[in-house]
Amino acid sequence: MSDRNHDDLTRRTDVVIVGGGLAGLFCALKLAPRPVTVISAAPLGQGASTAWAQGGIAAAVAEGDSAEAHAADTIAVGAGLVDETIAFGLAREAGARIHDLLHYGVPFDRDLEGKLAVAREAAHSARRIVHVRGDMAGQAIMAALIEAVRRAPSIRVIEGYVAEALLTEAGAVTGLQLRKADDATAKPVTIASRALVLATGGIGHLYAVTTNPAEACGSGLAIAARAGAVIADPEFVQFHPTAIMIGRDPAPLATEALRGEGAKLINDKGERFMLARHPLAELAPRDIVARGVFAEIAAGHGAFLDATAALGAHFAEKFPTVYASCLSAGIDPAKQPIPVAPAAHYHMGGVAVDRHGRTSLRGLWAGGEVSSTGAHGANRLASNSLLEAVVYAARIAEDIGGSDIAQPARPPAASVTPRNCAMPPLTETNLRTMMASHVGVVRDRDRLAEAVRTFADIERDTGNIALRNMATTALLVAASALTRQESRGAHYRSDHPAEQPALAHRTMTTLTAARDVAASLTGRTSARTPQPITA
Ligand SMILES: Cc1cc2nc3c(=O)[nH]c(=O)nc-3n(C[C@H](O)[C@H](O)[C@H](O)COP(=O)(O)OP(=O)(O)OC[C@H]3O[C@@H](n4cnc5c(N)ncnc54)[C@H](O)[C@@H]3O)c2cc1C
């Protein structure tokens, strides 16, 4: 339902969840029968990365596998920044959350004995990815959860509204401001909350080349940062090495599982360029493969994923989603190599949360990709993100369930940004292009500094709240990337190519600190706070 009257929209519920992907819907279901309102920028099933997940969920459910082995793989990939306790907790709770998903109706694939079937993905030491009909995990998970949510009388869903600011009182979050999606001139509405859960997904759409939907533009992170929340590890953005380059925005994904099944990366001369870069070649950690593909393209040789020998005629049956994407561009992946490039895919950073999913602000929790729990460090292990979304959504529901929020929420203070101007499309395009060229797979001081200055200017000057939110998150990513003078995991600095042991700690920052980085570059004595939006 996207057209609602004002009273219906602002009707009070104490628990408000922003985001209708896996984290948001799972949290709402776990909170049932407690009344909750779920707000989603797009109709449920659209505008969420979850629906596009092709691999599945990592869970040590197979015989011979263990939570300890899963955690060890997670820690190894995270390049020294994974919080080991968090990684063990995640791996241990995986089995229980998979059972919850089965209970909500997710039809995970089973083997001939009826046990959950598990696939292998890069950098996992065991086959442990539970999946649905080959590469259909995301769609199947969303379909089952949406049905369960629609059936749950305790869950009210507001679709087609974008959260654009948090309302705070005495340091606590007391509600949020929303605006109808795709209507910059629509009047904002405010909703009170006593417990607000951010589950708005990632930031990929801040980049010109991405696998993420348009809604994944960092707005949740931005509104939390503007309200004063601590942000963790924003510089760590994972680039998927094999987005399919057929001129689509977002770019369709050629899942990692293809390489797990033996597909090879080749250049336009047919050479397997990853052999020279890592002993695991195509199955090396994602950041290394992404840089390999990036370098091959930068050198003018092109990059292709060749599954003709590994899958051939079985391609369509095993990877129907990838097959359909290729066919739509006239490429038959059973017979031809697929043109690929690295694309912004997953944000390891986000709103800093503790083990319960609590942020640094009272009344605000965060779960799923918008949060940063410490589980991924500088690089995410494949298929750990859906796992993190369900584990933390369940913990948040438990934490809110045990919190003293029995009193109804008070009506929120007046809206903070009453007027808005239209999104300037050129500025949005420039921001996304600059993120890709200056804050992308390979970074250096000069380009990062230019990006920080540009994003700080947009953040301060724009009269459009959606663009300001994009610039806020872009500024946080670029400022932290500039400050981290080393290469680690997904963050690669060509001017600081080595890892620095002294910097083996997570970044904890704020929007004020990011603005200060910008001010130090421009020679201003202090960062200027943005003007209220009135145009
Ligand atoms: C192509 C692709 C394949 C992937 N494959 C896998 C995989 O196989 N395994 C794995 O573990 N991970 C995978 N990932 C990553 C994983 O899908 C995501 O990290 C995860 O789905 C995030 O879930 P979420 O609920 O946090 O966010 P999402 O599923 O992205 O949902 C976010 C929700 O918030 C809404 N929203 C955003 N901003 C606002 C706002 N301001 N106001 C209101 N609503 C808002 C969106 O409309 C959406 O409903 C993949 C990602 C992509 C893009």
Side-chain angles (χ1 to χ4, degrees):
M1 195 185 304
S2 57
D3 270 318
R4 289 174 169 262
N5 68 40
H6 184 267
D7 290 347
D8 183 28
L9 263 176
T10 54
R11 183 155 51 90
R12 288 185 214 163
T13 38
D14 289 326
V15 183
V16 175
I17 298 172
V18 189
L22 178 57
L25 298 187
F26 197 81
C27 188
L29 287 165
K30 280 281 180 182
L31 276 160
R34 189 179 196 125
V36 300
T37 297
V38 174
I39 292 155
S40 175
L44 291 190
Q46 299 171 31
S49 292
T50 303
W52 296 356
Q54 295 178 3
I57 307 187
V61 291
E63 234 165 80
D65 198 4
S66 67
E68 285 71 21
H70 182 179
D73 291 345
T74 304
I75 293 161
V77 165
L81 297 197
V82 171
D83 182 325
E84 300 195 1
T85 312
I86 296 292
F88 276 113
L90 206 63
R92 260 196 306 267
E93 285 168 48
R97 298 294 78 85
I98 296 294
H99 277 100
D100 288 341
L101 288 167
L102 287 166
H103 167 75
Y104 291 134
V106 179
F108 288 119
D109 288 348
R110 296 191 179 264
D111 62 18
L112 292 176
E113 292 170 17
K115 295 186 189 138
L116 286 169
V118 281
R120 172 112 196 255
E121 280 189 352
H124 282 277
S125 59
R127 295 178 77 90
R128 65 165 72 98
I129 315 302
V130 293
H131 49 84
V132 183
R133 295 194 302 280
D135 63 4
M136 307 288 278
Q139 269 186 45
I141 290 169
M142 283 302 284
L145 293 196
I146 291 170
E147 209 185 312
V149 162
R150 301 269 191 227
R151 278 199 313 263
S154 59
I155 304 174
R156 174 171 79 126
V157 184
I158 297 175
E159 292 159 275
Y161 278 80
V162 177
E164 57 181 27
L166 296 181
L167 307 173
T168 55
E169 225 178 280
V173 172
T174 54
L176 79 160
Q177 176 173 312
L178 307 173
R179 206 181 296 258
K180 201 162 179 297
D182 303 323
D183 187 355
T185 57
K187 283 214 162 58
V189 284
T190 51
I191 296 191
S193 69
R194 292 182 65 86
L196 196 133
V197 182
L198 273 184
T200 49
I203 68 162
H205 216 77
L206 292 179
Y207 286 83
V209 183
T210 180
T211 61
N212 290 191
E215 288 74 7
C217 58
S219 55
L221 192 151
I223 64 180
R226 187 161 311 106
V230 172
I231 305 300
D233 299 336
E235 66 271 37
F236 293 110
V237 178
Q238 185 170 72
F239 296 89
H240 197 289
T242 57
I244 305 174
M245 295 314 283
I246 48 175
R248 272 168 52 186
D249 177 26
L253 184 71
T255 170
E256 199 113 63
L258 275 159
R259 279 174 283 133
E261 294 283 336
K264 307 296 180 215
L265 281 164
I266 56 171
N267 60 20
D268 59 9
K269 296 189 204 101
E271 295 159 348
R272 276 183 67 195
F273 54 84
M274 281 311 299
L275 284 174
R277 289 183 161 261
H278 196 276
L280 289 172
E282 284 85 0
L283 294 179
R286 269 190 183 167
D287 58 317
I288 293 170
V289 183
R291 282 198 292 282
V293 173
F294 179 87
E296 211 61 22
I297 294 170
H301 303 315
F304 302 85
L305 187 64
D306 184 359
T308 53
L311 290 163
H314 300 291
F315 200 114
E317 154 215 339
K318 284 206 147 179
F319 296 97
T321 309
V322 183
Y323 189 72
S325 297
C326 292
L327 272 202
S328 74
I331 297 166
D332 179 355
K335 299 184 184 137
Q336 292 166 271
I338 308 165
V340 293
H345 184 60
Y346 182 79
H347 196 203
M348 277 72 76
V351 185
V353 294
D354 68 8
R355 63 172 305 279
H356 305 286
R358 294 180 196 162
T359 72
S360 60
L361 300 178
R362 225 166 354 109
L364 184 68
W365 285 254
E369 196 169 334
V370 71
S371 68
S372 183
T373 63
H376 306 300
N379 211 2
R380 174 193 65 136
L381 183 65
S383 289
N384 263 356
S385 38
L386 292 178
L387 173 62
E388 183 189 52
V390 280
V391 166
Y392 275 79
R395 290 186 187 183
I396 290 168
E398 197 183 330
D399 199 42
I400 289 175
S403 302
D404 175 25
I405 58 164
Q407 296 300 311
R410 286 195 293 145
S415 97
V416 287
T417 50
R419 281 182 283 159
N420 200 17
C421 72
M423 170 77 100
L426 188 62
T427 320
E428 184 197 1
T429 305
N430 290 348
L431 184 148
R432 294 184 65 202
T433 305
M434 184 169 254
M435 281 295 276
S437 60
H438 289 48
V439 199
V441 178
V442 176
R443 305 162 170 183
D444 62 51
R445 189 201 176 277
D446 290 350
R447 283 179 304 159
L448 287 170
E450 193 186 343
V452 167
R453 280 191 295 266
T454 305
F455 300 150
D457 286 350
I458 300 175
E459 207 244 337
R460 192 188 55 235
D461 297 335
T462 183
N464 178 273
I465 186 78
L467 182 62
R468 176 179 287 178
N469 283 335
M470 290 177 79
T472 298
T473 299
L475 173 62
L476 279 154
V477 176
S480 295
L482 178 65
T483 306
R484 185 174 283 277
Q485 296 184 8
E486 64 160 352
S487 292
R488 184 180 292 277
H491 168 71
Y492 185 80
R493 291 272 304 250
S494 56
D495 52 345
H496 295 281
E499 209 171 87
Q500 298 297 330
L503 298 179
H505 50 75
R506 298 179 64 203
T507 299
M508 292 290 161
T509 188
T510 60
L511 180 54
T512 305
R515 286 181 186 148
D516 285 346
V517 172
S520 71
L521 293 171
T522 52
R524 288 189 200 118
T525 46
S526 66
R528 274 167 50 203
T529 311
Q531 298 300 309
I533 287 176
T534 53

